[in-house]
Structure formats: C-alpha cells, structure tokens
Amino acid sequence: MNPGPSAFVLAEPASQPPADVWSNLDMAAITDALTGSGVWAPADQQPALKQLVKQAAADGHSLHVVVLDQSYPKFTAYRDIATHLQSEVGGTVLVFGPSGSGTASDEFSRVQLEDASNDVSKGATASQAAAQMYHKAVDPNVNWNGVTIGLIVLVVIGAVIARWRMKRRRTTAEPAAVGQNGDASGPATAEGDEDPDGRRPAGTD
C-alpha cells in the first residue's frame, strides 16, 4: 500500500523591515534644499554648515549636509538616505541623526569616508562632525596639531630674528654716533699757534 501524499508546511518568512524605512521624510523637499543651499538642518545649525559647503565649493568639491531629528532602528538607515540623496544631487552627502550618521560620495572613496567618520570627536555637534569629516577626507594625512605647533614655532623664530636684527642695527649705529660727536668738538690748538687773545704761548720766541 502506497502512502498518501505528504503535506509539508513551510514556515512563514520572517517579516523584513520595509526598504523605505525613512518614508516619513519629505525627500523631495530635502533634495530641493540640497540643490539650493547644500544644507537641510535645523535653523541654528544652518549658518555653520552653509559656510562649510561654501568652503568645499571653493576647494572644488560639491558637499551636501543633512541633519535629521529622527532615529531609525536600522543602523544603515542614514547611509541609505545619503545614498538616495547622492543619486539625486551628486557630489558628497553627509547625513547626521540622533542614532548615527551616513555618507555617500562620487568624489571620495568608501574607505576615505569611513576613516573620516571614525575620526569625529566624541560629543561633537553635527556641524562640528561635518567639518571634521570633510577636512579629514580632503587632507587625510595632515596632522593639524603638528601644523599648529609648526606655525607657533615659525612665529617665535621670526620674532627672535627680528629682535636680533634690531639689536645689531643699534650696535652698528652707536660707534657712528660717537665719531660724529668727536668731530663736532673741533681741532685742538696746534703747538706754536697763538692763544685766542693774540698772545703766543709762554716759552716761545
């Protein structure tokens, strides 16, 4: 007797988070803001970020910065948002939020962006973090502490050289002044010359 057909019950696939976990964002409005000023952020952070965007433009880079107040359970959400926006506006997009940050760029490599993100100071604001990440990506090998110390040393050396030159000029000028004063005293009375009252010196015929 052949057994009847067996029925296999497949487990229901686990629910996956929707791809558009940021569906609460007005992506069209954010894109418009980035196209216009390069910044989507709270009003108090916009001036510093816009200045950074202008600096980047002067350096030849297209930088866009987004600061959000939403947290997302998916840790890659901010990177996904950055990638989506970067496909719309191009250049480099930095996205910051309460629970992380994300980047996307066609100017800098993923390694450069990750290194820049890892170097952000603990407790930095979004404006500070954006500036640190941009400068790190642009000049990855620059030791800014060393540059600052070097500039201070150059200033000190310059001041020492200027003081030494000033002292040298004073030392050179003093003998000349003494010589001029000696000439001003006039020639001494030669032997045999008459005194101012017309009399010849005593003992002369």
Side-chain angles (χ1 to χ4, degrees):
M1 180 175 176
N2 293 330
S6 299
F8 295 92
V9 178
L10 300 177
E12 182 179 357
S15 60
Q16 297 293 329
D20 57 340
V21 292
W22 59 87
S23 57
N24 60 325
L25 297 178
D26 189 345
M27 298 299 282
I30 296 176
T31 300
D32 289 343
L34 296 185
T35 303
S37 66
V39 173
W40 173 275
D44 62 329
Q45 299 188 49
Q46 289 188 18
L49 292 174
K50 288 180 178 179
Q51 184 61 37
L52 178 63
V53 169
K54 289 181 180 179
Q55 179 184 347
D59 295 338
H61 299 287
S62 178
L63 179 65
H64 308 86
V65 185
V66 177
V67 181
L68 304 173
D69 58 5
Q70 295 95 336
S71 296
Y72 298 98
K74 187 178 179 181
F75 73 94
T76 60
Y78 295 115
R79 187 184 66 186
D80 295 339
I81 294 171
T83 300
H84 175 83
L85 292 172
Q86 197 278 332
S87 68
E88 298 290 331
V89 301
T92 300
V93 177
L94 309 180
V95 178
F96 299 93
S99 56
S101 63
T103 61
S105 176
D106 58 14
E107 300 177 311
F108 305 105
S109 68
R110 174 54 55 185
V111 173
Q112 288 176 297
L113 295 175
E114 292 296 335
D115 288 344
S117 299
N118 293 334
D119 277 0
V120 173
S121 301
K122 185 178 180 180
T125 64
S127 301
Q128 294 169 339
Q132 292 175 14
M133 290 173 65
Y134 170 72
H135 289 299
K136 177 65 176 180
V138 173
D139 299 310
N141 297 319
V142 174
N143 184 334
W144 293 106
N145 289 332
V147 171
T148 302
I149 294 173
L151 291 174
I152 294 174
V153 171
L154 287 177
V155 171
V156 172
I157 292 176
V160 171
I161 292 175
R163 184 173 181 82
W164 175 77
R165 287 180 175 176
M166 183 179 297
K167 291 180 66 176
R168 184 177 180 183
R169 283 197 298 267
R170 289 177 179 176
T171 303
T172 304
E174 287 177 357
V178 171
Q180 291 176 358
N181 293 335
D183 293 340
S185 61
T189 303
E191 184 178 354
D193 290 345
E194 294 183 352
D195 289 337
D197 58 2
R199 295 178 298 173
R200 294 179 65 83
T204 60
D205 294 332

